[in-house]
Amino acid sequence: MSHKYFTLEEANQHLPIVDQELRTIQKIKQQFEEKYLDLRRRKEIQKGTQGSLNGDPFFMIETELEFLQIEANSHIKGFQLKGIELKDMDIGLVDFPAILNGEEVLLCWRQGEERISYYHSRNEGFSGRKPIA
């Protein structure tokens, strides 16, 4: 499989869309967590009572949860198709494969940063971030 490499300029140009996609994924995750907790609470309340005469009382919430998973996965797949590596959706951490000074590196961006200013090797990860000269 061939890798896509980004220049620093290309990666920085992607940031507005990456930020928007991250916010969407984060919102979906929040909705999922809220619905999942609601489902657990409802199931706990339902425990010990007789079944519903109207079918599965949890069907709608479970269907909504499945839809949210599908929606989130499609956004995550969008990153992969562009060659962008989503590392942590909660803090908004993404990497862009690049060649810097003849070495394969990852240009590292964290949500909230104005532009990409750091890189690291594939083995170092976020803790090994170095400023781009």
Side-chain angles (χ1 to χ4, degrees):
M1 180 170 110
S2 64
H3 292 289
K4 171 165 179 42
Y5 294 109
F6 294 85
T7 65
L8 181 59
E9 183 181 337
E10 289 172 332
N12 276 315
Q13 287 174 351
H14 278 80
L15 292 183
I17 292 170
V18 167
D19 185 54
Q20 181 181 358
E21 286 293 304
L22 279 169
R23 290 180 192 282
T24 299
I25 292 169
Q26 291 162 341
K27 183 179 176 184
I28 292 168
K29 183 179 180 209
Q30 180 183 2
Q31 291 172 340
F32 183 91
E33 289 171 349
E34 289 170 2
K35 285 191 181 298
Y36 180 75
L37 289 174
D38 183 44
L39 177 64
R40 285 185 56 194
R41 182 185 54 80
R42 288 174 186 239
K43 283 185 174 184
E44 202 52 44
I45 291 170
Q46 182 84 10
K47 237 185 221 179
T49 64
Q50 291 187 351
S52 170
L53 297 176
N54 299 326
D56 185 353
F58 310 116
F59 177 77
M60 285 304 295
I61 296 174
E62 289 170 343
T63 302
E64 290 170 7
L65 287 170
E66 286 180 34
F67 177 76
L68 288 169
Q69 279 184 305
I70 292 167
E71 188 178 6
N73 286 337
S74 72
H75 286 281
I76 292 167
K77 185 73 171 173
F79 280 101
Q80 295 169 344
L81 292 172
K82 291 179 184 106
I84 301 168
E85 299 178 15
L86 176 59
K87 298 297 183 167
D88 187 319
M89 72 178 76
D90 293 325
I91 63 171
L93 188 61
V94 296
D95 287 337
F96 297 83
I99 301 292
L100 192 60
N101 302 322
E103 179 186 348
E104 186 175 346
V105 299
L106 296 169
L107 302 174
C108 183
W109 180 76
R110 184 177 182 172
Q111 201 170 23
E113 295 175 343
E114 189 175 311
R115 59 182 164 65
I116 298 170
S117 302
Y118 300 94
Y119 75 97
H120 57 80
S121 75
R122 198 164 281 285
N123 298 331
E124 291 175 312
F126 183 79
S127 62
R129 287 189 353 157
K130 299 172 194 70
I132 297 173

